[in-house]
Amino acid sequence: MTTISYPPKPSPGDRVAVVSPGAGLPGLFPLPYELGLERLRKEYGLEPVEYPATRKMGSTPQERADDIHAAFADPGIKAVIASIGGDDQITVLPLLDRELIRANPKPFLGMSDNTNLLMFLRNTGIVGYHGVSVMCELGRPGAMHPQTAESLRAALFTSGEYELRPAERWNDINRDWADPTTFDAEPETRPGGGWTWVNADQVVEGRTWGGCLEIVGWLLMADREIARDLSEYDGGVLLLETSEEMPSANEVFWTLRNMGERGLLQRFSALLMGRAKTWSFEHPNGPEEAARYAAEQREAVLRAMRMYAPNTPIVFDVDLGHTDPQLVIPYGGIVRVDGPARRITVTY
């Protein structure tokens, strides 16, 4: 079994690396990126340090790996934060120096395509943090969502237990980052509706694994960063969420079914399923279409879990994915899921 530990935390005034292990979108959309950097400085007291490939679209996997190595190797850098996700970070993984990173453990924050690096860090023995990127959450128009801001502050600067709360209001409709008027006001939100619990008769605690479902599927196909001995995941808490690519209910079911056939779904003591993102620029769903998409995804998840892990506690609509707010979840860290009390507590 891999021994996993929490890396030292930064303090206000420290320098933190900002890298683009996936896509160099800060170069295309500077407005949310610069806003995110400003909030790191003003609201968190941290000094962001940008690396050569951070704003470079089309950077090579080696260039991105070099930035990651430089950020972890620099003793003056106290944390590493992704600018945003992408779609080819899997090509960076073979180029990473595991021993260099293991010798210089630091908190890493990111999600979506950064599931790749989070899984790599977990296998290296380092707890990462699933959630919050510079462009999306720190660069949110108007102001950061209070729940995102509070969760990020706790994850960055504190250690110990932190109780997650369902979002009272949320959003998943984006506006054009190239339009300066986008940043004049906060996004419109709608009522949250709370979490939905299944098999909520248990209290379980375990180390997290998973991430963006599409990326987990790719890693399984490439057989990369997946433990050879699946007992590595016994008793863990599975995190899953879907991206703005909005995979169909069938695609979600097929991925989970293959995880079940591989013997993965049965290993976990609980599943936290992120609130489905139901809108994208390519699929600007109205309220009825969005509700239908979310309901079909939920039924796909339930169908797979009934087949392979029928007694596993499941919590739906946890704000850990591509929707707003976004709660930071320790990746490889401890999460307690208390069904009878309807509480989720993470350890930062």
Side-chain angles (χ1 to χ4, degrees):
M1 298 292 287
T2 303
T3 300
I4 308 171
S5 59
Y6 287 82
K9 299 290 185 81
S11 299
D14 283 342
R15 299 163 72 238
V16 297
V18 176
V19 296
S20 295
L25 286 171
L28 290 183
F29 301 103
L31 294 177
Y33 178 63
E34 295 291 350
L35 178 57
L37 296 181
E38 180 182 7
R39 288 196 177 126
L40 276 175
R41 295 186 184 100
K42 292 185 176 180
E43 298 184 22
Y44 292 89
L46 297 169
E47 183 54 41
V49 178
E50 190 175 301
Y51 284 72
T54 303
R55 300 193 196 217
K56 183 179 179 181
M57 282 298 294
S59 61
T60 66
Q62 187 63 62
E63 287 174 312
R64 286 174 271 159
D66 290 345
D67 283 0
I68 294 167
H69 291 152
F72 275 90
D74 185 344
I77 295 294
K78 302 303 181 183
V80 183
I81 305 176
S83 68
I84 199 166
D87 65 10
D88 73 340
Q89 197 175 123
I90 194 169
T91 64
V92 177
L93 293 183
L95 305 174
L96 296 180
D97 185 333
R98 198 177 300 273
E99 293 311 312
L100 180 152
I101 292 172
R102 180 181 285 121
N104 299 278
K106 292 168 185 177
F108 170 76
L109 290 97
M111 47 85 67
S112 192
D113 199 29
N114 295 293
T115 294
N116 288 281
L117 189 48
L118 288 166
M119 201 175 289
F120 176 92
L121 291 170
R122 189 188 194 279
N123 291 336
T124 307
I126 301 170
V127 171
Y129 293 88
H130 180 279
V132 179
S133 65
V134 173
M135 294 181 69
C136 296
E137 290 73 38
L138 281 156
R140 182 180 187 260
M144 290 185 70
H145 192 291
Q147 282 183 263
T148 304
E150 179 187 299
S151 174
L152 175 59
R153 189 174 301 279
L156 278 172
F157 299 132
T158 71
S159 299
E161 292 189 347
Y162 179 89
E163 185 172 345
L164 306 184
R165 306 186 314 278
E168 294 183 4
R169 300 189 65 84
W170 70 286
N171 173 61
D172 69 345
I173 297 176
N174 304 114
R175 291 181 288 176
D176 185 1
W177 277 345
D179 182 356
T181 64
T182 289
F183 300 90
D184 291 343
E186 292 188 49
E188 294 184 8
T189 58
R190 51 193 186 274
W195 298 332
T196 299
W197 293 74
V198 178
N199 297 328
D201 58 345
Q202 306 171 50
V203 180
V204 301
E205 185 174 278
R207 291 191 177 273
T208 58
W209 184 88
C212 181
L213 182 66
E214 296 100 297
I215 305 303
V216 171
W218 295 354
L219 288 163
L220 286 163
M221 282 189 282
D223 199 21
R224 189 162 291 167
E225 296 301 322
I226 308 298
R228 292 285 177 260
D229 181 357
L230 295 183
S231 66
E232 171 79 22
Y233 308 123
D234 283 352
V237 174
L238 179 61
L239 310 174
L240 292 175
E241 56 91 18
T242 54
S243 76
E244 74 281 359
E245 297 297 324
M246 294 174 56
S248 70
N250 280 339
E251 290 173 297
V252 170
F253 172 73
W254 293 331
T255 301
L256 290 172
R257 183 178 63 186
N258 289 339
M259 291 173 68
E261 288 296 319
R262 188 157 179 168
L264 269 171
L265 289 186
Q266 305 90 318
R267 299 284 177 174
F268 296 96
S269 63
L271 165 61
L272 302 184
M273 191 72 201
R275 188 191 301 276
K277 183 168 176 59
T278 62
W279 186 99
S280 71
F281 287 107
E282 291 75 21
H283 301 283
N285 287 334
E288 291 185 4
E289 294 170 306
R292 186 182 309 115
Y293 177 86
E296 290 174 352
Q297 181 178 112
R298 181 173 302 183
E299 183 52 40
V301 173
L302 286 170
R303 181 182 169 200
M305 295 301 286
R306 289 188 197 111
M307 290 175 63
Y308 297 99
N311 299 316
T312 299
I314 308 171
V315 191
F316 285 100
D317 292 338
V318 183
D319 295 282
L320 58 82
H322 281 72
T323 56
D324 172 45
Q326 189 181 94
L327 302 174
V328 179
I329 312 292
Y331 193 101
I334 300 296
V335 174
R336 184 170 66 252
V337 181
D338 186 335
R342 302 296 198 270
R343 297 175 67 184
I344 302 173
T345 306
V346 302
T347 299
Y348 287 147

